Amino acid sequence: MPIAHYITHPQVQIDASIPVPDWELSNIGRARAFAMLNQRWVGSIRRIVSSGERKAIETAEILATHLRLAVEVRELMHENDRSATGFLPPAEFEAVADQFFANPHVSVRGWERAIDAQRRIVSEVDAALAANGDDDVAFVGHGGVGTLLLLHHSAREISRDADQPAGGGNYFAFDIGARRLIHGWLPIDRQHCA
């Protein structure tokens, strides 16, 4: 059974003067990405597909170097489009993110609607998997659209209840053939039984 692992980039260097898609991994995020390489589930990965945002590409490149694989970049795997507001202080960001998930058919403060972001990420992942064969795949991306993809593969309504734990650097897995969730969010850098 081929498996897809959707991995979110870990902690980033927050800089309000730089556009969010250009943020890079922090030292903690980089250390967590390297710690991921010691996890049992990583060894079966034969293909790596990444969002085009810098923090996702940096995470994917750490994995790709370890596995001696190339990184395929799919620009439409980006995080939900929040360019209308740009950087928001953490408390304000969390409040707007709550509204984003609670009102999926509404553009909250100009953000991409959750329903549109979900259609986009599902379509991009499906397009990548259409040419896959029987390989285990790692998709490297972001928590918002990752949560929307997880909800889709678990046949649940859009809600923030399934959001990844704070800080990023988590992953979930789904059966590629059945498009069914195998497990929800787990930290990328801690051993577990899944």
Side-chain angles (χ1 to χ4, degrees):
M1 163 183 75
I3 296 173
H5 305 276
Y6 187 93
I7 302 165
T8 64
H9 63 80
Q11 287 86 342
V12 297
Q13 189 65 45
I14 296 172
D15 186 338
S17 69
I18 296 174
V20 175
D22 297 330
W23 285 356
E24 60 186 21
L25 293 178
S26 68
N27 289 337
I28 292 170
R30 225 180 252 60
R32 291 190 66 213
F34 277 103
M36 168 181 63
L37 306 178
N38 297 319
Q39 307 309 310
R40 286 187 296 263
W41 55 272
V42 167
S44 66
I45 295 167
R46 298 291 173 264
R47 186 174 172 214
I48 301 169
V49 183
S50 177
S51 155
E53 293 191 31
R54 181 174 180 178
K55 51 199 171 271
I57 290 175
E58 287 180 357
T59 305
E61 286 175 343
I62 290 168
L63 184 60
T65 299
H66 176 72
L67 295 172
R68 296 184 177 145
L69 296 171
V71 175
E72 301 169 40
V73 174
R74 294 188 75 97
E75 295 293 340
L76 291 178
M77 280 179 49
H78 63 79
E79 182 59 289
N80 59 305
D81 184 351
R82 307 188 300 256
S83 57
T85 59
F87 172 79
L88 294 173
E92 186 178 358
F93 171 82
E94 292 300 330
V96 179
D98 284 344
Q99 294 174 35
F100 169 81
F101 282 102
N103 303 288
H105 296 276
V106 175
S107 172
V108 178
R109 292 189 52 187
W111 284 16
E112 178 180 23
R113 299 182 317 160
I115 193 72
D116 297 328
Q118 184 179 55
R119 285 186 192 120
R120 175 175 51 76
I121 192 65
V122 169
S123 175
E124 277 300 289
V125 166
D126 283 350
L129 291 175
N132 188 57
D134 291 330
D135 291 331
D136 281 9
V137 180
F139 289 97
V140 183
H142 312 278
V145 291
T147 297
L148 295 170
L149 182 67
L150 181 151
L151 289 164
H152 173 79
H153 287 304
S154 51
R156 293 166 58 193
E157 294 294 317
I158 292 175
S159 123
R160 199 166 189 193
D161 293 343
D163 201 3
Q164 72 168 337
N170 298 286
Y171 80 106
F172 68 85
F174 65 91
D175 176 330
I176 292 173
R179 297 294 205 275
R180 187 174 41 242
L181 194 68
I182 296 170
H183 66 73
W185 294 116
L186 295 169
I188 60 171
D189 54 347
R190 282 191 223 131
Q191 205 63 258
H192 49 81
C193 298

